[in-house]
Amino acid sequence: MCHRPSFSASSATRSWLQVPRVALRRRLSALSGAASRPIPWRRRPIAFLCYVLSVGALRPLAKRVALYRSFPTRLLSRAWGRLNGVELPTWLRRPVYSLYIWTFGVNMQEAAVEDLIHYRNLGEFFRRRLKPAVRPLCANSCLISPADGKILHFGQVKNSEVEQVKGVTYSLENFLGPQKGRENGTESKWTDLRLLLQGPPPANDMLLSLSLDSSSSFRDRLLSSPDNDLFHVVVYLAPGDYHCFHSPTNWKVERRRHFPGSLLSVNPGVARLVKELFCLNERVALTGQWQHGFFSLTAVGATNVGSIRVYFDQELQTNVPRYSKGSFHDRSYVAVDNHLSKAAGKGGVAGGEGEGVVLQKGAAVGEFNLGSTIVLLFEAPKDFSFNLQAGQRIRVGEGLGSL
């Protein structure tokens, strides 16, 4: 004889009430953006930083961002740089570096020296070199990745605005600073205008055309040909990545521009909250020419990046105690003296005879003292196409796009 299980009225009522409560809890979690899984231990510092920025719902977002920007990140970064240079006892090196390897997922099998005892301090470990064969250069692509990291954003530059992360833009002119007109661009248009003023009175439509050309956008003034367009790529280097950056193509560096500034975190979570973060942070922009026109590589500093080093420029000093807000310092490589030419010849970098510093594809250019960001801005034909996806991992030497 079969017996049906009996349920009391109270238990049935409790089970009936739990269903909408569970559904409501899930809906609230989805609306608040709460994660369904606990945050990994290695990501908790960044999660705590984002929490500091978002906590206090009664405060406007601008005040929270201003509070974060008031942190003495430059002082903390210089202190971290000093700590990086402290020589560790031999018995302490292996446990300290092993903890860092485990926390940030470092692949030591790629390092030129795998023995942890070899690295005297944290700085040497951060700037470790790789084995020559682990980063082959893509021969089928005219442009390769300058660093190991994650692709944050890429594409065409429109309206002189560039995206640092999806939906958050910054001004191209604020990022690179004022630029001189290209040889076939602004300067030639002003020359044509002077010639017309010296000759017979031109037609009104011609004057209107010239006035429109002279007031062209900052993006247009960088282009040397109307058949080209301006593109950009943003590569984010995490603390566990290889910290050196390389030349993405064969090109000639004509100028170095150093922007002293803040050293805020460039983590994508923070980049979504701080507008024009890349324009606020300290950065070193190398600008010049490649086979298709304008080309620039900008190394953006971040929290705990004690310095940005460029191998062929020994005069560059970053994260100094005092600086003037909004200022920048230029150095031209066009008139290169003998001393600079010799220094530029090290590390696979060749110095030009009064024509700038010539960089070969894949040559080591510089290094960070921790993770940061590389921004490429370059001119190319309009049919240039990227072989990338936002958020993908990339390594030095892998192709970025093709013509």
Side-chain angles (χ1 to χ4, degrees), residues 4-77:
R4 293 183 179 180
S6 60
F7 298 95
S8 64
S10 59
S11 61
T13 303
R14 284 196 303 268
S15 62
W16 181 80
L17 290 175
Q18 285 178 355
V19 174
R21 290 172 62 185
V22 172
L24 179 61
R25 189 182 299 113
R26 291 177 178 176
R27 179 63 60 87
L28 291 176
S29 299
L31 291 177
S32 62
S36 58
R37 292 179 299 176
I39 300 175
W41 183 87
R42 64 181 63 179
R43 296 184 181 178
R44 287 183 182 178
I46 297 300
F48 176 75
L49 178 59
C50 295
Y51 172 77
V52 170
L53 291 175
S54 60
V55 75
L58 298 178
R59 292 184 178 182
L61 178 61
K63 290 186 177 180
R64 281 176 272 161
V65 174
L67 176 63
Y68 171 58
R69 290 179 57 182
S70 65
F71 290 169
T73 53
R74 292 181 62 86
L75 178 61
L76 294 176
S77 299

Side-chain angles (χ1 to χ4, degrees), residues 362-378:
V365 177
E367 63 189 29
F368 294 107
N369 271 350
L370 202 61
S372 195
T373 301
I374 294 288
V375 179
L376 298 182
L377 287 157
F378 58 94

Side-chain angles (χ1 to χ4, degrees), residues 71-337:
F71 290 169
T73 53
R74 292 181 62 86
L75 178 61
L76 294 176
S77 299
R78 284 195 297 273
W80 180 258
R82 295 285 184 88
L83 181 62
N84 286 350
V86 176
E87 184 171 351
L88 298 177
T90 304
W91 61 269
L92 189 59
R93 295 174 187 177
R94 193 178 301 278
V96 169
Y97 301 147
S98 297
L99 177 61
Y100 187 91
I101 292 171
W102 176 79
T103 303
F104 297 107
V106 179
N107 185 4
M108 286 302 296
Q109 294 181 352
E110 296 179 340
V113 180
E114 299 184 33
D115 186 7
L116 300 180
I117 302 299
H118 170 79
Y119 302 100
R120 296 174 298 176
N121 51 54
L122 287 170
E124 290 186 359
F125 180 73
F126 294 151
R127 300 186 298 269
R128 63 192 177 276
R129 298 298 187 265
L130 300 182
K131 297 174 183 177
V134 299
R135 293 294 184 272
L137 305 182
C138 179
N140 298 327
S141 179
C142 61
L143 198 65
I144 62 173
S145 175
D148 288 7
K150 178 191 294 184
I151 299 294
L152 290 188
H153 208 275
F154 64 93
Q156 294 182 349
V157 176
K158 300 178 181 179
N159 302 324
S160 299
E161 293 283 334
V162 186
E163 284 193 299
Q164 60 188 22
V165 292
K166 187 175 182 180
V168 181
T169 62
Y170 58 93
S171 168
L172 181 61
E173 185 169 8
N174 291 340
F175 183 70
L176 290 179
Q179 303 286 319
K180 295 181 180 179
R182 311 309 305 168
E183 182 178 353
N184 297 326
T186 306
E187 290 180 355
S188 63
K189 293 171 185 175
W190 280 110
T191 302
D192 294 340
L193 180 60
R194 286 194 297 268
L195 291 176
L196 285 173
L197 292 176
Q198 293 174 1
N204 291 334
D205 57 346
M206 188 177 297
L207 280 176
L208 178 61
S209 175
L210 285 171
S211 63
L212 291 175
D213 288 342
S214 62
S215 61
S216 59
S217 66
F218 182 84
R219 165 192 165 276
D220 295 335
R221 293 199 297 270
L222 294 178
L223 301 177
S224 61
S225 172
D227 298 328
N228 293 343
D229 211 333
L230 195 65
F231 300 85
H232 80 286
V233 182
V234 182
V235 183
Y236 167 69
L237 290 74
D241 288 324
Y242 169 59
H243 300 304
C244 297
F245 51 93
H246 296 244
S247 175
T249 188
N250 298 326
W251 65 300
K252 178 177 62 178
V253 184
E254 298 174 345
R255 181 178 59 190
R256 178 261 290 166
R257 175 166 287 176
H258 173 215
F259 295 84
S262 303
L263 287 175
L264 307 178
S265 172
V266 292
N267 183 273
V270 179
R272 292 186 183 93
L273 299 175
V274 183
K275 183 176 176 58
E276 293 206 343
L277 172 62
F278 293 164
C279 298
L280 296 174
N281 271 15
E282 184 163 13
R283 59 198 182 276
V284 177
L286 303 177
T287 59
Q289 299 287 316
W290 75 317
Q291 58 178 334
H292 301 296
F294 174 80
F295 195 93
S296 72
L297 182 152
T298 303
V300 183
T303 307
N304 291 338
V305 178
S307 65
I308 302 172
R309 182 184 176 191
V310 176
Y311 295 142
F312 57 82
D313 192 340
Q314 302 300 323
E315 295 183 5
L316 175 64
Q317 293 184 355
T318 59
N319 196 12
V320 295
R322 296 182 180 180
Y323 72 97
S324 178
K325 187 177 180 179
S327 65
F328 60 84
H329 310 286
D330 284 350
R331 183 182 182 186
S332 175
Y333 301 127
V334 175
V336 183
D337 55 22

